Amino acid sequence: MDIFSLQGKVAWVTGGGRGIGFSMTAGLAQAGARVVFNARSKASVQQALTAFKAQGVDARGFVCDVTDEQAVQALVQQVEQELGPIDILVNNAGIIKRVPMHEMAAEEYREVIDIDLVAPFLCAKAVLPGMMARRAGKIVNICSMMSELGRETVSAYAAAKGGLKMLTRNIASEYGGYNIQCNGIGPGYIATELTAPLRERQPDGSQHPFDRFLTDRTPAARWGSTDDLVGPLVFLSSRASDFVNGHILYVDGGILAYIGKQS
Ligand code: NAP
Ligand code: GCO
């Protein structure tokens, strides 16, 4: 079953220094890829390299803010000179701001859109020419439950992730003829820094209301772990998915299929 092997491939995971991106970077390496990641500071890159080394993962790290088109282009050029063509791009870098929309500043809204929706466009635009020339490539965009559902306080994030779903489908439509597959992964609720505020214990030591709500709303009755995303990503990065294009693979423990437990 070497159709799942990534041997000899070069993979770039944006924001791969921690959280979901860290596990995905390690998972792609374990599947045989040479892996590259970026973070916004040298300290973050160094911290991640130390953690990767401790796990026996030989990763290359770059300081790059994915909203900076020149920096993105420079990263791709350097990687392609030093390691060879980028075969797999994982648009993972992302932020969230939880603010009631009527109280959200325009600058806050724009920052979320810039990182979660404009940056995936910039990174895909940077790798597409090489993929087109080679007539092969994999782009995986990390979407969200909020690509399908709304909830209070996450208007900017839901707009960005809804847009990312359609950007995924449009890249698939526009570049499928070059044997480039662009798909999305829609994680459910995953235990990382980004969702830590939704799990932290209340002052009286009780469970966070959202934590209880979420586990009741998930057939698997648990939060996802970053490792739950590795298998789906290896699939969408490998030959095994060469005829899968424009698909959003939800890895959510069944949330989107479930009306929720009667309380
Ligand atoms: P996280 O732990 O906060 O990590 C976010 C990563 O994105 C960090 O590595 C961060 O790097 C990087 N990043 C943010 N802005 C950046 C920028 N402008 N330039 C470069 N890197 C940037 O979040 P996470 O939970 O792993 O989320 C990763 C992705 O999964 C996001 O797209 C998120 O929307 C999505 N997602 C998360 C969940 C969940 O439940 N956790 C569910 C669905 C989707 P720095 O070190 O530079 O800050
Ligand atoms: C939130 C959470 C979610 C998750 C994820 C769900 O505040 O609702 O942060 O948005 O991060 O995107 O798939």
Side-chain angles (χ1 to χ4, degrees):
M1 291 299 278
D2 68 352
I3 55 171
F4 294 97
S5 169
L6 303 181
Q7 206 62 44
K9 301 294 184 184
V10 174
W12 171 28
V13 179
T14 71
R18 57 189 170 88
I20 287 172
F22 182 91
S23 293
M24 294 197 296
T25 302
L28 293 174
Q30 282 147 14
R34 284 179 293 165
V35 293
V36 168
F37 73 97
N38 66 289
R40 286 172 287 190
S41 72
K42 198 168 183 178
S44 298
V45 169
Q46 199 46 56
Q47 190 174 358
L49 286 172
T50 304
F52 281 127
K53 192 172 181 182
Q55 289 194 17
V57 174
D58 177 19
R60 293 284 304 277
F62 292 83
V63 176
C64 173
D65 183 323
V66 289
T67 63
D68 177 345
E69 183 165 22
Q70 283 188 326
V72 166
Q73 292 280 347
L75 182 153
V76 170
Q77 194 174 23
Q78 187 175 352
V79 170
E80 302 215 330
Q81 278 170 0
E82 295 179 9
L83 288 179
I86 293 175
D87 304 289
I88 302 158
L89 166 65
V90 183
N91 274 314
N92 164 76
I95 66 166
I96 193 168
K97 288 184 183 295
R98 299 184 183 94
V99 179
M101 187 177 134
H102 66 287
E103 297 170 5
M104 181 176 259
E107 295 69 31
E108 291 178 301
Y109 189 93
R110 287 195 185 95
E111 184 184 0
V112 173
I113 297 291
D114 215 15
I115 295 171
D116 293 7
L117 182 56
V118 177
F121 154 77
L122 295 177
C123 296
K125 182 182 162 191
V127 301
L128 274 171
M131 290 181 173
M132 292 163 73
R134 294 188 303 279
R135 302 192 68 79
K138 298 282 187 179
I139 298 174
V140 182
N141 295 323
I142 306 304
C143 297
S144 161
M145 293 287 94
M146 275 54 225
S147 297
E148 301 293 344
L149 303 170
R151 92 175 182 90
E152 297 79 2
T153 76
V154 296
S155 58
Y157 184 82
K161 293 299 187 178
L164 187 56
K165 171 175 74 172
M166 284 314 302
L167 178 64
T168 301
R169 289 181 176 159
N170 213 79
I171 294 171
S173 305
E174 192 166 2
Y175 297 97
Y178 290 92
N179 186 33
I180 296 167
Q181 292 83 47
C182 181
N183 293 288
I185 286 177
Y189 280 78
I190 311 295
T192 68
E193 282 179 40
L194 185 139
T195 54
L198 304 175
R199 293 191 308 279
E200 60 197 11
R201 284 280 163 188
Q202 301 301 282
D204 63 3
S206 62
Q207 188 182 15
H208 192 296
F210 189 88
D211 187 0
R212 191 168 48 252
F213 160 76
L214 192 274
T215 43
D216 283 350
R217 181 80 171 69
T218 308
R222 67 173 175 88
W223 285 72
S225 82
T226 57
D227 289 342
D228 288 321
L229 302 169
V230 172
L233 177 65
V234 170
F235 165 63
L236 290 177
S237 303
S238 69
R239 284 192 296 119
S241 60
D242 278 0
F243 203 53
V244 178
N245 208 12
H247 183 74
I248 312 296
L249 177 55
Y250 286 99
V251 185
D252 65 354
I255 294 175
L256 286 181
Y258 186 39
I259 194 170
K261 188 190 303 294
Q262 181 180 343
S263 51

